[in-house]
Amino acid sequence: MINGLKFYMALCSGKLTYYLLRIMPTGGKSFPGLVFIKIAGKDALNKLAKRQLDMGSVLITGTNGKTTTTTMIINLLSKDWKLSTSVGNNTLFSLTTDLLINKAQLGVYEYGIRDVKHGTPDLVSDYMQPVGVVYTNISREHTQVAGVKNPFEDYLYAKTLLSRSLKKGILITNADDPNVTWIGQNKEKDNTIVYYGFSLENINDLFEINPVKCPYCHEELNYTKHYMGQRGIYDCDCGFRRPEPNVKLTEFIVQDDSWKVTFNLDVYNYNIKSNILEDITLNLPVVGIHNLYNILCAITTYAAFSTGENIKENIIEYYSNYDFEVPPGRFEILDVDNKIVGVGQGDNGDALKVNSLLMTNYVDEELEFIYCTPDANEEEIFEDHLLSINSLNPDNLIVIPGRTSVDAAKDYYNIIEKQYDSTFIPLEFDFEERINKIVDLVKNSNYKNIIISGCGEEIYFWDYLKKKLQE
Ligand SMILES: [Zn+2]
């Protein structure tokens, strides 16, 4: 039991910190939440959430697309409700900060998890007692955390814990991804599960994929269709198979410079306690297959948690004006001294694949790849990265360490060096030095097309690199 006085002291200190920070030049979005938690303890978060949110909260997690999807969900749901939100900076402190200053009807929070110890998804779930948990997809990423090997099974388990306290709520998950489908199936007893997925014949992933294991029996899954990476139509000899989605992408037509897409919805709505049935057609700019998954996830979540009124109109209105902004640090194509330079974060197999696909639209001459490697104990990520490197088949390959270990980077280099004209640059773990060297490489390169991607510590590295390249 939390002492009432302590709770209110923490509340006041947290709020005061927020107002002080607002008038300070640098800001520090997570700091007030940190102050609150340090004084009142994490347990107080439960009391705070109950006090500040009428309906409760929706938590969003996954490996790819979290930030973009959460942004769309927030924009859509804010048509219906007053929201408390946290996006981009997905820590417990940032979430708490917003709760401190915003009394709202519904909370919508992006929450990133690398492992149980650092992400404490179990505690976040217990304290927040969400009414909804949303999963985008889960693929191999962060196979090392703070110097310790983080096996995929542990990473997946950590993500499942975010829905541990979900009862009589809605879990929204991607039917095309076996890992997050498994999470949904394990919660079917106490909750409504809403699956979304593609229902298309004319989309097929051109990239090879590494084998995907069945989350139940750990044998290799059979795929009859690959939409994107491990997302597709799959089944297993043990009986596990891709479930029929409640929200489907049923039509995908490429027009001159736009995409016409149709979604078919049959979604349980949390507020009216019955199903929403709609067919919605949108005209979108050419956004990439990965964004179709983000949109699918966002409209599913909106349909599930909206007031239940004007869903179709609101979705059409929102996407007719939608500007696909690139989140900080993400991949972008830049013009640097008349060279086409694709640069940005690609921490996992899927992310580098998305970047590579985008790059292929621009490459018309010889290509140089400046590849930033994963760390020690991240061989799985390297394996997934290799598929993208091989499919781009660069004319020149420069390998530099992307994370802490220079030795690990050298080991990865040794695996690929013979396949390409390649160079290894053993740069120590120093942002400034690495960024300056990459800028130097680009300026002095003989190639007109250059891609710079792979692993890099956090988005700041990529964001700063992009800024330096544009100077
Ligand atoms: Zn199986």
Side-chain angles (χ1 to χ4, degrees), residues 173-194:
T173 195
N174 188 339
D176 298 349
D177 178 340
N179 298 314
V180 292
T181 291
W182 174 74
I183 294 178
Q185 291 186 342
N186 284 314
K187 298 296 291 181
E188 270 174 4
K189 222 175 79 196
D190 309 319
N191 297 282
T192 304
I193 314 298
V194 180

Side-chain angles (χ1 to χ4, degrees), residues 214-219 221 236-240:
C214 172
Y216 286 94
C217 71
H218 307 291
E219 294 297 316
L221 288 172
C236 179
D237 295 341
C238 76
F240 176 53

Side-chain angles (χ1 to χ4, degrees), residues 234-388:
Y234 51 84
D235 62 61
C236 179
D237 295 341
C238 76
F240 176 53
R241 55 176 36 252
R242 183 247 200 191
E244 185 64 19
N246 306 88
V247 180
K248 293 177 218 174
L249 175 64
T250 53
E251 184 184 48
F252 170 75
I253 298 169
V254 179
Q255 294 167 336
D256 289 345
D257 55 354
S258 68
W259 286 355
K260 184 182 169 204
V261 291
T262 300
F263 300 95
N264 180 275
L265 284 71
D266 182 356
V267 184
Y268 179 78
N269 180 279
Y270 186 78
N271 292 290
I272 60 170
K273 312 241 173 294
S274 65
N275 279 33
I276 307 273
L277 302 168
E278 292 285 5
D279 281 322
I280 300 176
T281 298
L282 303 175
N283 278 298
L284 299 168
V286 177
V287 294
I289 300 298
H290 64 295
N291 267 319
L292 292 181
Y293 273 113
N294 295 336
I295 293 169
L296 196 49
C297 181
I299 65 173
T300 305
T301 309
Y302 177 60
F305 288 100
S306 69
T307 54
E309 282 166 18
N310 302 326
I311 288 176
K312 183 172 179 169
E313 294 75 7
N314 286 341
I315 289 172
I316 290 173
E317 192 215 348
Y318 176 61
Y319 285 105
S320 65
N321 301 308
Y322 190 70
D323 189 11
F324 282 82
E325 262 179 60
V326 180
R330 300 306 156 73
F331 195 76
E332 268 184 288
I333 308 282
L334 307 177
D335 180 336
V336 182
D337 297 346
N338 291 321
K339 291 174 184 139
I340 295 167
V341 181
V343 54
Q345 192 176 27
D347 281 59
N348 56 68
D350 275 357
L352 187 61
K353 175 191 282 190
V354 167
N355 300 349
S356 303
L357 278 171
L358 187 65
M359 193 70 198
T360 53
N361 295 324
Y362 293 86
V363 175
D364 54 0
E365 288 174 72
E366 293 193 319
L367 173 74
E368 180 170 78
F369 200 139
I370 301 177
Y371 172 56
C372 306
T373 69
D375 217 333
N377 295 321
E378 296 194 315
E379 296 81 7
E380 298 90 342
I381 297 174
F382 176 73
E383 278 173 28
D384 290 345
H385 275 167
L386 208 49
L387 299 173
S388 289

Side-chain angles (χ1 to χ4, degrees), residues 110-125:
E110 174 185 348
Y111 197 72
I113 305 156
R114 293 184 179 188
D115 66 352
V116 178
K117 192 173 153 227
H118 298 86
T120 60
D122 43 349
L123 299 181
V124 173
S125 188

